[in-house]
Amino acid sequence: MGSMSVPELQQPWIETPLIESAALSKAASCRVFLKLENLQPSGSFKSRGIGNLILRTLQTHPTPHLTHFYSSSGGNAGLAAVTAAVTLGRPATVVVPLSTKPVMISKIRTAGATAVIQRGATWVEADTYLREEILAKDSNGVYVPPFDHPDVRAGAETIVDEVERQIEGGKPDAVVCSVGGGGLFSGVVMGLGKRWGNDVDVLALETKGAESLAKSLEKGELVTLPGITSIATSLGAVRVATKAFELGQKPNVQSVVLDDAEAAMGCWRLADDERLLVEPACGVSVAVCYDGRLKALLPRLTATSKVVIVVCGGSDVTLERLAEYRARYGYAERWTTTDEAVPSTLTAPKWEGDELVQEA
């Protein structure tokens, strides 16, 4: 491939639909809109931030035609890096820990990875191997960080650009999004701030066992978790980015932590109501619509208020795993809506007290 000029470069993410969900609106007693980031080329919002980083690199690199991109994520970030690099005609290699699920390795390879290398018991060990053994020997290698980079945040901010164009009246009353390392959250909060200051409420959702932002805000300083114990492994950053910690202190931001059962419930409810299959890292943001917490957290919401939920997606989910979550965490239905006008209520497991009385 010869030298690359800017006009040759294709944007490696797409404008996604914003749809109003009748089922979630009924459950939450306000107008709920779903920003469908699960439809991105890589299956998650990561296509925006990581795609933007790779695009900007190729636009500014002195020898873009020689670049080789490297990621150490065995999850959505690695898949997004490969998808974006291949779209832009460049090779990408991913180093993943030995614990990475075979289905994710298969997806990364299918996306066109030059190589998928398994090293180390943890992400830290895989990342160290990538930096010290591979990148150190490749003068044309470019490291792709999963979330903590200005270009990643700028890519995530494009969600707000689209919402402003797509939503009735041009402005939402609130936005709900998940927080892992903080790239998505930071981009969304920055975008909202540039347009409407602190006038749009933001709920920052995490799961117990992956709540690095919540713990940091509680202590008033950046906190490093001892490990990730949540099933929402895509939220598994033991330390949130500094920028996300700063933005989390804005007056219009609320940090919200739910348990794994509620995140899993959000997954099966969303599948039944909207035919969308997502990871618990995304299900946790949907869950607040079903358990009554949305109005409790944002009491100023009315029946006509517009709430945007970023359906961040994720590729590490299967029908089999969703069924496992439902069997394991079905008791979460004890705290959800019983309104049969919400279709997923009719298909949800039925509980009385601590007893499962009917598996729908």
Side-chain angles (χ1 to χ4, degrees), residues 96-119:
V96 303
L98 295 171
S99 58
T100 303
K101 296 180 179 69
V103 67
M104 285 305 297
I105 293 175
S106 176
K107 288 183 178 183
I108 293 169
R109 284 179 174 148
T110 301
T114 302
V116 180
I117 301 168
Q118 290 185 272
R119 287 290 189 284

Side-chain angles (χ1 to χ4, degrees), residues 153-327:
R153 293 189 286 270
E157 190 177 330
T158 62
I159 290 175
V160 182
D161 298 336
E162 294 174 17
V163 168
E164 184 179 22
R165 294 195 301 269
Q166 295 169 325
I167 200 165
E168 178 185 324
K171 177 188 173 187
D173 295 291
V175 176
V176 182
C177 73
S178 301
V179 182
L184 170 64
F185 165 74
S186 296
V188 167
V189 174
M190 290 166 61
L192 293 173
K194 288 177 182 177
R195 289 159 181 80
W196 303 295
N198 297 328
D199 200 35
V200 176
D201 291 314
V202 179
L203 297 184
L205 270 293
E206 298 174 286
T207 52
K208 292 179 182 176
E211 69 271 48
S212 55
L213 175 62
K215 291 291 188 184
S216 297
L217 293 174
E218 181 183 325
K219 193 168 183 181
E221 62 183 42
L222 281 168
V223 170
T224 300
L225 301 178
I228 301 299
T229 58
S230 170
I231 62 170
T233 53
S234 292
L235 301 182
V238 294
R239 187 180 178 93
V240 76
T242 300
K243 188 66 175 179
F245 173 62
E246 294 172 358
L247 293 169
Q249 299 173 65
K250 288 172 63 73
N252 59 318
V253 174
Q254 286 191 63
S255 171
V256 182
V257 180
L258 304 184
D259 61 29
D260 281 348
E262 292 169 288
M265 175 273 294
C267 294
W268 71 66
R269 282 267 186 167
L270 187 64
D272 286 354
D273 280 332
E274 296 294 348
R275 307 166 311 283
L276 299 173
L277 194 64
V278 299
E279 296 181 18
C282 178
V284 69
S285 286
V286 177
V288 292
C289 290
Y290 292 111
D291 64 7
R293 287 192 180 164
L294 188 59
K295 291 289 276 286
L297 291 164
L298 300 174
R300 73 185 182 94
L301 294 179
T302 68
T304 59
S305 296
K306 300 183 291 290
V307 178
V308 173
I309 297 179
V310 181
V311 181
C312 52
S315 293
D316 193 13
V317 61
T318 63
L319 289 173
E320 179 183 16
R321 195 168 304 158
L322 194 62
E324 291 172 357
Y325 291 154
R326 188 183 178 100

Side-chain angles (χ1 to χ4, degrees), residues 69-82:
F69 292 92
Y70 292 92
S71 169
S72 58
S73 167
N76 296 308
L79 185 56
V82 172

